[in-house]
């Protein structure tokens, strides 16, 4: 059997990809083959796949759609993330910080991770159990106050433990 496959991933940092494949090609009867078209999307909030299969000279079709996301709840805050493996941190921004976004990093890391939010709450899931986690939370607002604030927290979570933080910075003028 002959096989042909092609895939395309958009440039510019997009999170989606498209794949097309053919298999079982009979060159004496080119319509008699199987094919699959797949679109996959992976973001910080969810993962989704749409797949269309066809076979038997385009007489048999199957379509599948799958989507996965996770919700986290702690101390009255609800967050969303593509997956919550074990521990999580929910951050609710207030005051001037609520006008922008939240970025979180470990203190030994140099690149903060911009977090999406659901109803003003951001979820950070890169937390390890049984060890001390040092995280720094940054405001990413366009204003000077919203972008210059940082908050440092240390905690040692047990397995399957969630944390919630409410952070705020108010505008002051002199």
């Amino acid at each position: 059997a002959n096989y042909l496959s092609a895939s395309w991933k958009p440039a510019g940092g997009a999170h989606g990809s498209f794949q097309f494949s053919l298999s079982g090609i009979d060159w004496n009867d080119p319509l008699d083959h199987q094919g699959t078209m797949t679109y996959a999307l992976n973001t910080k909030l969810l993962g989704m796949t749409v797949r269309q299969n066809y076979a038997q000279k385009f007489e048999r079709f199957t379509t599948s759609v799958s989507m996965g996301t996770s919700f986290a709840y702690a101390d009255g805050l609800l967050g969303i993330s593509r997956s919550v493996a074990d521990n999580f941190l929910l951050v609710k921004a207030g005051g001037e910080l609520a006008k922008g976004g939240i970025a979180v990093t470990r203190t030994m890391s140099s690149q903060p991770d911009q977090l999406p939010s659901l109803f003003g709450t951001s979820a950070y899931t890169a937390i390890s159990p049984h060890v001390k986690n040092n995280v720094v939370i940054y405001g990413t607002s366009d204003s000077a106050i919203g972008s210059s604030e940082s908050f440092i927290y240390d905690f040692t979570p047990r397995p399957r433990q969630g944390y919630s933080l409410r952070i705020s910075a108010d505008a002051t003028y002199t």
Side-chain angles (χ1 to χ4, degrees):
N2 296 307
Y3 178 79
L4 172 68
S5 177
S7 62
W8 174 68
K9 183 171 182 168
H15 301 283
S17 65
F18 178 79
Q19 182 176 5
F20 177 74
S21 64
L22 300 172
S23 63
I25 301 170
D26 180 2
W27 296 114
N28 296 324
D29 187 3
L31 290 178
D32 191 16
H33 67 278
Q34 298 174 10
T36 303
M37 293 176 283
T38 305
Y39 177 74
L41 174 69
N42 287 303
T43 69
K44 292 179 181 180
L45 294 178
L46 63 94
M48 181 180 74
T49 303
V50 178
R51 179 173 288 123
Q52 175 73 54
N53 296 309
Y54 63 89
Q56 298 174 348
K57 297 183 180 184
F58 295 92
E59 293 178 7
R60 183 176 176 166
F61 291 90
T62 58
T63 304
S64 64
V65 177
S66 63
M67 186 168 70
T69 192
S70 297
F71 292 95
Y73 180 82
D75 194 26
L77 298 181
L78 178 67
I80 186 171
S81 179
R82 184 176 47 201
S83 69
V84 178
D86 199 359
N87 303 100
F88 61 89
L89 171 66
L90 299 177
V91 181
K92 176 81 171 182
E96 196 68 23
L97 294 174
K99 295 179 182 177
I102 296 293
V104 178
T105 186
R106 291 184 179 252
T107 55
M108 295 299 188
S109 174
S110 61
Q111 185 63 33
D113 188 19
Q114 178 77 30
L115 301 178
S117 76
L118 173 70
F119 307 121
T121 301
S122 300
Y124 181 66
T125 59
I127 297 173
S128 303
H130 302 296
V131 296
K132 187 175 189 178
N133 289 263
N134 308 96
V135 296
V136 181
I137 302 168
Y138 300 93
T140 60
S141 172
D142 289 335
S143 74
I145 291 176
S147 63
S148 64
E149 292 292 325
S150 63
F151 304 85
I152 300 173
Y153 294 95
D154 297 329
F155 50 94
T156 306
R158 295 179 306 239
R160 313 280 307 160
Q161 191 171 24
Y163 290 87
S164 67
L165 293 172
R166 287 172 172 81
I167 58 174
S168 182
D170 293 323
T172 57
Y173 302 97
T174 57

